[in-house]
Coordinates of all heavy atoms in Angstrom, one line a residue:
F120 N 0.5 9.7 4.4 CA 1.0 11.1 4.7 C 1.3 11.8 3.4 O 2.0 11.2 2.5 CB 2.2 10.9 5.6 CG 2.8 12.3 6.0 CD1 2.1 13.2 6.7 CD2 4.1 12.6 5.6 CE1 2.6 14.4 7.1 CE2 4.7 13.8 6.0 CZ 3.9 14.7 6.8
G121 N 0.8 13.0 3.2 CA 1.1 13.7 2.0 C 1.1 15.2 2.3 O 1.0 15.7 3.4
A122 N 1.3 16.0 1.2 CA 1.5 17.5 1.4 C 0.2 18.1 2.0 O 0.3 19.0 2.8 CB 1.7 18.1 0.0
N123 N -0.9 17.5 1.8 CA -2.2 18.1 2.3 C -3.0 17.2 3.2 O -4.1 17.5 3.5 CB -3.1 18.5 1.1 CG -2.4 19.5 0.2 OD1 -2.0 20.6 0.7 ND2 -2.1 19.2 -1.0
H124 N -2.4 16.1 3.6 CA -3.2 15.2 4.5 C -2.4 14.3 5.4 O -1.2 14.0 5.1 CB -4.2 14.3 3.6 CG -3.4 13.4 2.7 ND1 -2.9 13.7 1.5 CD2 -3.0 12.1 2.9 CE1 -2.2 12.7 1.0 NE2 -2.3 11.7 1.8
L125 N -3.0 13.8 6.4 CA -2.5 12.8 7.3 C -3.7 11.9 7.6 O -4.6 12.3 8.4 CB -1.9 13.3 8.6 CG -1.5 12.3 9.6 CD1 -0.5 11.3 9.1 CD2 -0.9 13.0 10.9
D126 N -3.8 10.7 6.9 CA -5.0 9.8 7.1 C -4.5 8.6 7.9 O -3.4 8.1 7.6 CB -5.6 9.5 5.8 CG -6.2 10.7 5.1 OD1 -6.4 11.7 5.7 OD2 -6.4 10.6 3.9
I127 N -5.4 8.1 8.7 CA -5.0 6.9 9.5 C -6.1 5.8 9.3 O -7.3 6.2 9.3 CB -5.0 7.2 11.0 CG1 -4.1 8.4 11.3 CG2 -4.6 6.0 11.9 CD1 -2.6 8.2 11.2
A128 N -5.7 4.6 9.3 CA -6.7 3.5 9.3 C -6.3 2.4 10.3 O -5.1 2.2 10.4 CB -7.0 2.8 8.0
V129 N -7.2 1.9 11.1 CA -7.0 0.7 11.9 C -7.8 -0.4 11.3 O -9.0 -0.3 11.1 CB -7.4 1.0 13.4 CG1 -7.5 -0.2 14.2 CG2 -6.4 2.0 14.0
A130 N -7.1 -1.6 11.1 CA -7.8 -2.7 10.5 C -7.5 -4.0 11.2 O -6.4 -4.1 11.8 CB -7.3 -2.9 9.0
D131 N -8.5 -4.9 11.2 CA -8.2 -6.2 11.8 C -7.3 -7.1 10.9 O -7.0 -6.7 9.8 CB -9.5 -6.9 12.3 CG -10.4 -7.4 11.1 OD1 -9.8 -7.4 10.0 OD2 -11.5 -7.7 11.3
L132 N -7.0 -8.3 11.4 CA -6.0 -9.1 10.6 C -6.6 -9.7 9.4 O -6.0 -10.3 8.6 CB -5.4 -10.2 11.5 CG -4.6 -9.7 12.7 CD1 -3.8 -10.8 13.3 CD2 -3.7 -8.5 12.3
D133 N -8.0 -9.5 9.2 CA -8.6 -9.9 7.9 C -8.6 -8.7 7.0 O -9.2 -8.9 5.9 CB -10.0 -10.4 8.2 CG -10.2 -11.8 7.7 OD1 -9.3 -12.4 7.2 OD2 -11.4 -12.3 7.9
G134 N -8.1 -7.6 7.4 CA -8.0 -6.4 6.5 C -9.3 -5.6 6.5 O -9.4 -4.6 5.8
R135 N -10.2 -5.9 7.4 CA -11.4 -5.0 7.6 C -11.1 -3.8 8.3 O -10.5 -3.8 9.4 CB -12.5 -5.8 8.3 CG -13.4 -6.7 7.5 CD -14.4 -7.3 8.4 NE -13.8 -8.2 9.4 CZ -13.7 -9.5 9.3 NH1 -14.3 -10.1 8.3 NH2 -13.1 -10.2 10.2
F136 N -11.5 -2.6 7.8 CA -11.2 -1.3 8.4 C -12.1 -1.2 9.7 O -13.3 -1.5 9.6 CB -11.6 -0.2 7.5 CG -10.5 0.2 6.6 CD1 -9.6 -0.8 6.0 CD2 -10.2 1.5 6.2 CE1 -8.6 -0.4 5.2 CE2 -9.2 1.9 5.3 CZ -8.4 0.9 4.8
L137 N -11.5 -0.9 10.8 CA -12.3 -0.7 12.1 C -12.5 0.8 12.2 O -13.6 1.2 12.7 CB -11.5 -1.3 13.3 CG -11.1 -2.8 13.2 CD1 -10.3 -3.2 14.3 CD2 -12.4 -3.6 13.1
V138 N -11.5 1.6 11.9 CA -11.7 3.0 12.0 C -10.8 3.7 10.9 O -9.7 3.2 10.6 CB -11.2 3.5 13.4 CG1 -10.7 4.9 13.4 CG2 -12.3 3.3 14.5
Q139 N -11.3 4.8 10.4 CA -10.5 5.5 9.4 C -10.7 7.0 9.8 O -11.8 7.5 10.0 CB -11.1 5.3 8.0 CG -10.3 6.0 6.9 CD -10.8 5.7 5.5 OE1 -11.5 4.7 5.3 NE2 -10.5 6.6 4.6
T140 N -9.5 7.7 10.0 CA -9.6 9.1 10.4 C -8.8 10.0 9.4 O -7.8 9.5 8.8 CB -9.0 9.3 11.8 OG1 -7.7 8.9 11.8 CG2 -9.8 8.6 12.8
A141 N -9.3 11.2 9.2 CA -8.6 12.1 8.3 C -8.2 13.4 9.0 O -9.0 13.9 9.8 CB -9.5 12.5 7.1
H142 N -7.0 13.8 8.8 CA -6.5 15.0 9.5 C -5.9 16.0 8.5 O -5.4 15.5 7.4 CB -5.4 14.7 10.5 CG -5.9 13.5 11.4 ND1 -6.6 13.7 12.6 CD2 -5.7 12.2 11.3 CE1 -6.9 12.6 13.1 NE2 -6.3 11.6 12.4
P143 N -5.9 17.3 8.8 CA -5.4 18.2 7.8 C -3.9 18.2 7.7 O -3.2 17.4 8.4 CB -5.8 19.6 8.4 CG -6.1 19.4 9.8 CD -6.5 17.9 10.0
A144 N -3.3 18.9 6.7 CA -1.9 19.0 6.5 C -1.1 19.2 7.8 O -1.6 19.9 8.7 CB -1.6 20.1 5.5
V145 N 0.1 18.7 7.9 CA 0.9 18.8 9.1 C 1.8 20.0 8.9 O 2.5 20.1 7.9 CB 1.7 17.5 9.3 CG1 2.7 17.6 10.4 CG2 0.8 16.3 9.5
E146 N 1.8 20.9 9.8 CA 2.7 22.1 9.7 C 4.1 21.7 10.0 O 5.1 22.2 9.4 CB 2.3 23.1 10.8 CG 0.9 23.7 10.5 CD 0.8 24.6 9.3 OE1 1.8 25.2 8.9 OE2 -0.2 24.5 8.6
E147 N 4.3 20.7 10.9 CA 5.6 20.3 11.4 C 6.4 19.7 10.2 O 5.9 19.0 9.3 CB 5.4 19.2 12.4 CG 6.6 18.8 13.2 CD 7.3 20.0 13.9 OE1 6.7 20.6 14.8 OE2 8.4 20.3 13.5
Q148 N 7.7 19.9 10.2 CA 8.6 19.4 9.1 C 9.6 18.4 9.6 O 10.0 17.5 8.9 CB 9.3 20.6 8.4 CG 8.5 21.5 7.7 CD 8.1 21.0 6.3 OE1 9.0 20.6 5.5 NE2 6.9 21.0 5.9
E149 N 10.0 18.5 10.9 CA 11.1 17.7 11.4 C 10.6 16.3 11.5 O 9.6 16.0 12.1 CB 11.5 18.3 12.7 CG 12.9 17.8 13.2 CD 12.8 16.5 14.0 OE1 11.9 16.4 14.8 OE2 13.6 15.6 13.6
P150 N 11.3 15.3 10.9 CA 10.8 13.9 10.8 C 10.4 13.3 12.2 O 9.4 12.7 12.3 CB 12.0 13.1 10.2 CG 12.8 14.2 9.5 CD 12.6 15.5 10.2
G151 N 11.3 13.6 13.2 CA 11.0 13.0 14.5 C 9.7 13.5 15.1 O 8.9 12.8 15.6
A152 N 9.4 14.8 14.9 CA 8.2 15.4 15.4 C 7.0 14.9 14.6 O 5.9 14.7 15.1 CB 8.3 16.9 15.3
V153 N 7.2 14.7 13.3 CA 6.1 14.2 12.4 C 5.7 12.8 12.8 O 4.6 12.4 13.0 CB 6.4 14.3 10.9 CG1 5.3 13.6 10.1 CG2 6.6 15.7 10.5
V154 N 6.8 11.9 13.1 CA 6.5 10.6 13.5 C 5.8 10.5 14.9 O 4.9 9.8 15.1 CB 7.8 9.8 13.6 CG1 7.7 8.5 14.4 CG2 8.3 9.5 12.2
A155 N 6.2 11.4 15.8 CA 5.5 11.5 17.1 C 4.0 11.8 16.9 O 3.1 11.3 17.5 CB 6.1 12.6 18.0
L156 N 3.7 12.7 15.9 CA 2.3 13.1 15.6 C 1.6 11.9 15.0 O 0.4 11.6 15.3 CB 2.3 14.3 14.7 CG 0.9 14.8 14.3 CD1 0.2 15.4 15.6 CD2 1.0 15.9 13.3

Side-chain angles (χ1 to χ4, degrees):
F120 182 59
N123 298 302
H124 65 275
L125 170 59
D126 297 342
I127 308 287
V129 165
D131 69 15
L132 296 194
D133 236 0
R135 275 181 297 257
F136 276 35
L137 303 175
V138 155
Q139 184 179 338
T140 61
H142 310 275
V145 175
E146 295 293 327
E147 190 57 64
Q148 293 278 312
E149 197 275 314
V153 174
V154 165
L156 182 66

